[in-house]
Amino acid sequence: MTALVILAAACTANDDAAPVSTPPRQPIADSAPYICRLVPEQALRLVSGATGSLVEKTTGNESSGECRAPDTPPHPLEVDWLRVGDGTSQEHLDFVMDDRRQVYSRHDGVTLPTDLGDGLAAYLPNTPFADQPYRVSAKFRCGSKDRMIDIYLAQVAKGRDAIKDMIELMRIAQKRYGELYGCTPGK
């Protein structure tokens, strides 16, 4: 009888059991196809939760431009780029980055790892940028010129770490930029 009591106690459900763990965060991968030439489509869908068509609209050229996907509002993704040269001075690029730094810092922006250059990632709700509050901007050297990339997202999927994801998207975007334009980011 004692053995049955011990066995019954051992098999009784315990309300203090360890909580069910959440599934591990799926990592962002760099793989084709790309949206706006710099952001992997699958990574964007994973991070933002976007499920609809992502037809993009790009304006500008290698030196300066922007891309939005989809091409009609609301835009889950916007990517802007700027390069010193072809009418853009170093002073202008520095001014634009300084402006981003001031705005992002007021909203507890996180400084990017040094290998990504000078930049920050931030969440900017309740601002004029509320339609795309998740933002990351970086000024980095690629070849002999400074470049700048901005990535803006309208939303981040539930359970994702927005800042970490934005930093990873920037890492991929810089690598892709170097591949597309024949330069090595950071050098």
Side-chain angles (χ1 to χ4, degrees), residues 51-69:
T51 57
S53 173
L54 293 174
V55 175
E56 63 191 59
K57 180 176 182 177
T58 301
T59 58
N61 55 37
E62 174 186 346
S63 296
S64 173
E66 70 177 27
C67 177
R68 295 174 183 208

Side-chain angles (χ1 to χ4, degrees), residues 21 27 60 67 84 97 101 118 121 135 159 161 170 180 183 186-187:
S21 64
C67 177
V84 169
M97 188 64 230
R101 186 180 304 103
D118 177 17
R135 295 177 167 247
D161 183 326
M170 179 58 74
L180 291 170
C183 61
K187 297 182 181 181

Side-chain angles (χ1 to χ4, degrees), residues 76-120:
L77 171 69
E78 181 177 339
V79 178
D80 299 335
W81 59 93
L82 187 60
R83 174 185 85 178
V84 169
D86 296 333
T88 300
S89 68
Q90 182 68 50
E91 293 76 24
H92 178 72
L93 189 74
D94 292 342
F95 173 80
V96 172
M97 188 64 230
D98 288 345
D99 182 60
R100 302 276 194 287
R101 186 180 304 103
Q102 288 175 14
V103 172
Y104 293 7
S105 293
R106 284 194 304 266
H107 294 275
D108 300 321
V110 173
T111 302
L112 299 181
T114 57
D115 64 307
L116 295 179
D118 177 17
L120 291 103

Side-chain angles (χ1 to χ4, degrees), residues 38-50:
L38 301 177
V39 177
E41 179 180 352
Q42 192 57 38
L44 172 64
R45 290 184 184 282
L46 178 68
V47 170
S48 70

